[in-house]
Amino acid sequence: MALVVQKYGGTSVGDAQRIRNVAHRVVQAKEAGNRVVVVVSAMGHTTDELLDLAAQISHEPQARELDMLLTAGERISMALLSMAIIELGHEAISFTGSQAGIVTDTSHGKARILEVRARRVLEALDAGKIAIVAGFQGVSTAYDVTTLGRGGSDTTAVALAAALRADVCEIYTDVEGVYTADPRIVPEARKLHAVSYEEMLELSASGAKVLMLRSVEYARNHGVLVHVRSSFTHNEGTWIREEDARMEQAIISGIAHDTSEAKVTIKGLPDVPGVAARLFRVLADEGVNVDMIVQNVSSEQGRTDISFTSPTEDLRRVEVLLESTARELGAEGVETDPDIAKVSLVGAGMKTHPGVAAQMFQALADAGINIQIISTSSIRISCVVAASEVARAVRAIHESFDLAAEAIHREQHPATVTGQIRAVRASEAGT
Ligand code: ASP
Ligand code: MG
């Protein structure tokens, strides 16, 4: 008998009718002979509404109280889904994160799961019941209710799947899976059959919203097989799993974009040891996240510029922190630009295929789009462009790599990567 963890996102449980539909799907999985655990998000925009409500009461709500408030959203869904399943003549029981044994650290609003004590969930399964768990929440080592950060129900589901040694963790959402690019920007984007943990980590970290980054880390660390699929159809979605020989060895998996960051440049810093350390220590001590750091080769005058990106919501704080630090360090000034976007091309095959970066830059050049910052990992190339150009940039790169066509396989070796796809398609047409 298989054990399945299913997670339903906010849209999938958006109203009473949708909750009844989810109940039907859950019951189908149970009647097919599985042991079923269901993790739910809050209905529709409940979390945003609760945040808005809190903001009307307090400028800076206490983190503990805010978490107490936000966890209510998922509790509503879990109880309603449980009732809907009972209406269908099956046994179900709902649990809060705390009752389900999700133990976290004490950092309210972005708590990390330390341990899952799934005894009550297991007892429910052993009694033949369907267990419904409120996502996005846990209980801290100090016995306070915590939340896991936006999108955290994905992490709840993966953590439960790991603890219960589930056969699969199904993430039900309002799209059919993981796409080669955001289909709202690129209508011909293709659904991916499978993506490795490493690629999904890069995609999630680069702005793909379909899975919370931490849930992918958790899945990779514990080897949880994840299946992202639509709650509105029965189609197969996208599998997230260990890269292996049987996997289609695509060079490029997809493109992610992120408009949530701003660019910061500190100009004319003295090029002496300790400057970067000092600058980023100030930001780190205030908990500011930074990404894409670039430092120029120093000029003859022994000065250099450093640029980085940071969440736009932190920009005000960054400006305040850097103003005095830059002055103390003798820099010429600080410039910020919130109107930027990061476009990232991700694919495990980049490691062994030269020319991918050149082709990406050419695609942007041909579209007349200026690249402001470039950064890479072994399987990702990211470019910062003007925010107003982001959709055109994504389309240009998608087009250049012909991502709407079937995956490019790594065995082929024509001159350009696009050439490789054409070669694959030609050979497939011939067989
Ligand atoms: N309800 C929470 C959010 O909106 C958690 C989740 O949906 O995963 O972020
Ligand atoms: Mg989500």
Side-chain angles (χ1 to χ4, degrees):
M1 198 192 274
L3 199 160
V4 180
V5 174
Q6 301 188 328
K7 179 253 167 177
Y8 291 91
T11 318
S12 307
V13 294
D15 57 34
Q17 184 52 47
R18 287 185 173 181
I19 290 177
R20 280 197 294 267
N21 293 345
V22 166
H24 277 287
R25 297 190 79 113
V26 170
V27 162
Q28 265 172 24
K30 175 80 165 88
E31 286 178 346
N34 299 298
R35 284 149 68 86
V36 185
V37 177
V38 185
V39 174
V40 283
S41 286
M43 293 172 69
H45 297 115
T46 302
T47 307
D48 289 326
E49 285 156 16
L50 292 173
L51 280 168
D52 187 59
L53 206 50
Q56 291 177 43
I57 300 285
S58 165
H59 267 309
E60 228 175 303
Q62 221 182 58
R64 180 189 181 278
E65 301 311 322
L66 191 59
D67 273 357
M68 198 63 110
L69 177 71
L70 294 185
T71 56
E74 270 69 10
R75 293 178 187 221
I76 294 172
S77 318
M78 77 178 193
L80 291 174
L81 179 59
S82 191
M83 290 175 200
I85 292 170
I86 292 167
E87 280 297 316
L88 294 176
H90 279 260
E91 284 190 272
I93 177 170
S94 64
F95 298 109
T96 65
S98 168
Q99 290 175 321
I102 310 284
V103 181
T104 73
D105 64 15
T106 56
S107 38
H108 285 288
K110 50 173 191 298
R112 296 191 80 97
I113 296 176
L114 300 175
E115 199 189 333
V116 179
R117 300 181 190 152
R119 188 180 52 82
R120 286 195 72 180
V121 172
L122 273 173
E123 277 172 10
L125 294 177
D126 288 343
K129 295 179 184 166
I130 295 166
I132 318 293
V133 177
F136 172 60
Q137 56 183 275
V139 61
S140 77
T141 46
Y143 306 106
D144 279 315
V145 166
T146 51
T147 63
L148 309 178
R150 298 308 302 266
S153 300
D154 295 340
T155 307
T156 305
V158 171
L160 272 168
L164 298 167
R165 300 185 192 288
D167 295 271
V168 62
C169 180
E170 297 182 327
I171 305 284
Y172 284 93
T173 178
D174 51 1
V175 291
E176 295 263 331
V178 182
Y179 280 75
T180 50
D182 185 338
R184 282 167 303 185
I185 291 185
V186 186
E188 65 275 20
R190 179 172 50 89
K191 183 178 74 186
L192 295 160
H193 172 69
V195 180
S196 70
Y197 293 124
E198 303 305 327
E199 289 171 315
M200 197 62 228
L201 277 176
E202 294 279 10
L203 288 168
S204 288
S206 305
K209 303 260 168 11
V210 65
L211 280 178
M212 190 205 199
L213 176 60
R214 199 170 291 166
S215 74
V216 186
E217 278 172 359
Y218 210 105
R220 180 197 52 187
N221 294 346
H222 295 82
V224 175
L225 177 64
V226 177
H227 186 188
V228 180
R229 57 193 304 194
S230 166
S231 62
F232 303 118
T233 70
H234 286 276
N235 300 338
E236 188 178 12
T238 303
W239 297 89
I240 320 290
R241 63 186 193 201
E242 202 70 65
E243 190 184 339
D244 68 20
R246 279 163 298 152
M247 207 156 171
E248 39 176 339
Q249 301 271 297
I251 296 174
I252 305 297
S253 275
I255 301 168
H257 68 278
D258 186 354
T259 51
S260 71
E261 293 190 343
K263 184 177 74 169
V264 180
T265 303
I266 306 102
K267 302 202 80 113
L269 281 159
D271 189 19
V272 293
V275 167
R278 177 71 204 289
L279 213 54
F280 289 100
R281 168 55 52 203
V282 169
L283 299 174
D285 286 348
E286 289 298 317
V288 174
N289 277 316
V290 296
D291 183 29
M292 289 187 96
I293 302 171
V294 288
Q295 175 178 327
N296 272 349
V297 176
S298 70
S299 66
E300 279 165 23
Q301 291 77 35
R303 290 192 172 264
T304 185
D305 299 342
I306 292 183
S307 295
F308 63 89
T309 60
S310 196
T312 308
E313 58 186 25
D314 289 344
L315 190 56
R316 218 22 237 140
R317 278 202 303 150
V318 170
E319 284 169 347
V320 171
L321 289 167
L322 286 188
E323 208 174 303
S324 52
T325 316
R327 204 180 318 113
E328 284 163 40
L329 288 169
E332 284 157 13
V334 180
E335 283 174 8
T336 58
D337 182 0
D339 296 318
I340 57 133
K342 185 171 69 176
V343 179
S344 303
L345 183 64
V346 173
M350 273 179 212
K351 277 183 282 201
T352 47
H353 277 75
V356 174
Q359 187 172 338
M360 177 176 179
F361 304 154
Q362 190 64 51
L364 293 173
D366 291 346
I369 295 170
N370 187 44
I371 302 171
Q372 304 181 18
I373 302 182
I374 297 169
S375 80
T376 63
S377 79
S378 62
I379 62 167
R380 174 185 50 78
I381 304 162
S382 302
C383 295
V384 167
V385 301
S388 57
E389 306 269 45
V390 65
R392 281 207 314 123
V394 171
R395 278 187 221 117
I397 299 164
H398 199 272
E399 169 86 0
S400 168
F401 286 90
D402 214 0
L403 294 180
E406 274 314 290
I408 317 159
H409 296 270
R410 292 181 201 167
E411 301 74 50
Q412 316 290 322
H413 287 282
T416 66
V417 175
T418 313
Q420 295 180 28
I421 315 165
R422 301 233 162 85
V424 172
R425 287 159 83 202
S427 76
E428 278 167 0
T431 52

